[in-house]
Amino acid sequence: FIYVSHSRLCTGVGEDRVDDRFSKIDWASYDLSIHGGDVLCQTSKEPERLKRACDTFGLLDSNSIWVKGNHDDDSLELLRSYTQETDPFRVNSKGLVTFITLDYFMTDDPFNSDYFVKRLRNLDLKNTKHLVVLTHYLYWTYDHPELVGLDKTVSNVEVCEHSDWCLFPNDFMEKIYPILTRFKDNGVFDVICLAGDVGTRRRTFEYKDQNGIDFLACGVNNEDPSDSVIVFTTLADVGLHWEFVAVDDLID
């Protein structure tokens, strides 16, 4: 599985260009490709941009997951009609790995987790050994006792009118996190929270907390040689391995 995020090349408005390196990656060589959001600067502003974004990353393919970001939701109506995705809670399973997408940007209230909580509580994970929870923002840095201050050193620049670093207020740790710890206590080997709104301050982030929950983040920025993606590999012993790989190393 391959994970890439924050691929937009712009200052927030205007030009919408994709890093040319992404068109040179052999996406078909992966069993699943995931985009963590912010594909273009204004991805759904018009159909032409949306088509270009989907074509570049194969976002409409059956072996693809797209977590919507704050630069992707210019027109939710266009986004929903083009992708045929109307449910902000989505489940993708690949063998013993289950990916859960919490698309806050596809909801009317992006900082309320009640709908996701209800769906998570009813989730059947009896055949799952590795659970990856996908969000765009690093919601889990807010109010996590071990991650205090990381919202201001890992997340991207403060561009949201309602809050600094687009994280406040949010109830991820209050409502979502306790369910994830129960999953792990009940036999899920790996529980991973993976977010993609990074790249400006830091391009990669990795942390395992005292409850054994893994927190990962990855994003690229301005065609820098240090830009990285995450590659996940399932192992013969039912393990799951992941590593940050430089984008340049994936290009022949």
Side-chain angles (χ1 to χ4, degrees):
F1 317 123
I2 184 171
Y3 177 89
V4 60
S5 188
H6 199 255
S7 56
R8 66 179 183 84
L9 287 175
C10 63
T11 57
V13 295
E15 181 186 18
D16 260 330
R17 188 167 63 86
V18 176
D19 188 328
D20 290 337
R21 293 176 297 178
F22 291 120
S23 63
K24 300 175 183 177
I25 293 177
D26 181 13
W27 301 103
S29 64
Y30 298 94
D31 292 310
L32 186 71
S33 60
I34 307 165
H35 198 297
D38 288 355
V39 184
L40 295 176
C41 184
Q42 293 176 289
T43 308
S44 62
K45 183 178 181 180
E46 56 194 18
E48 291 78 11
R49 298 187 191 208
L50 190 51
K51 182 180 186 303
R52 179 153 46 91
C54 291
D55 289 348
T56 301
F57 294 97
L59 297 176
L60 299 185
D61 295 347
S62 59
N63 62 338
S64 178
I65 297 175
W66 179 11
V67 187
K68 312 305 183 297
N70 57 298
H71 284 269
D72 300 324
D73 69 338
D74 297 86
S75 171
L76 285 182
E77 181 180 1
L78 176 59
L79 200 55
R80 291 188 180 109
S81 64
Y82 194 87
T83 63
Q84 296 297 302
E85 290 178 343
T86 58
D87 193 339
F89 181 95
R90 299 188 297 281
V91 180
N92 296 77
S93 295
K94 293 287 185 179
L96 300 177
V97 187
T98 297
F99 296 87
I100 305 295
T101 301
L102 307 182
D103 243 339
Y104 282 82
F105 287 99
M106 298 290 279
T107 66
D108 294 330
D109 186 349
F111 294 96
N112 188 316
S113 297
D114 288 342
Y115 177 73
F116 300 125
V117 167
K118 185 182 301 183
R119 297 291 297 274
L120 280 169
R121 284 176 176 166
N122 294 323
L123 199 62
D124 182 4
L125 295 178
K126 64 181 179 181
N127 296 319
T128 297
K129 295 303 180 185
H130 316 285
L131 177 66
V132 183
V133 180
L134 302 166
T135 59
H136 176 64
Y137 284 152
L138 287 69
Y139 295 105
W140 29 264
T141 61
Y142 175 64
D143 212 27
H144 191 304
E146 298 176 47
L147 301 179
V148 175
L150 288 180
D151 49 350
K152 300 176 178 62
T153 61
V154 179
S155 289
N156 283 336
V157 291
E158 53 274 34
V159 296
C160 295
E161 295 179 359
H162 58 270
S163 60
D164 290 341
W165 290 274
C166 310
L167 294 171
F168 310 106
N170 84 79
D171 52 16
F172 187 96
M173 286 300 300
E174 176 188 354
K175 296 181 179 180
I176 301 293
Y177 183 81
I179 300 175
L180 302 183
T181 58
R182 285 199 294 272
F183 286 154
K184 187 163 182 62
D185 291 342
N186 290 334
V188 178
F189 292 168
D190 297 298
V191 176
I192 303 164
C193 295
L194 174 56
D197 194 42
V198 298
T200 303
R201 287 184 167 88
R202 290 179 59 170
R203 289 170 174 80
T204 62
F205 175 76
E206 182 176 13
Y207 184 84
K208 182 187 290 287
D209 73 5
Q210 292 181 355
N211 291 319
I213 307 295
D214 289 287
F215 298 91
L216 303 176
C218 185
V220 303
N221 188 53
N222 294 327
E223 303 169 295
D224 192 280
S226 64
D227 288 340
S228 299
V229 302
I230 303 177
V231 175
F232 293 87
T233 308
T234 53
L235 306 176
D237 61 354
V238 199
L240 179 67
H241 172 76
W242 61 85
E243 64 178 330
F244 296 99
V245 180
V247 176
D248 290 343
D249 291 343
L250 298 178
I251 300 172
D252 293 333

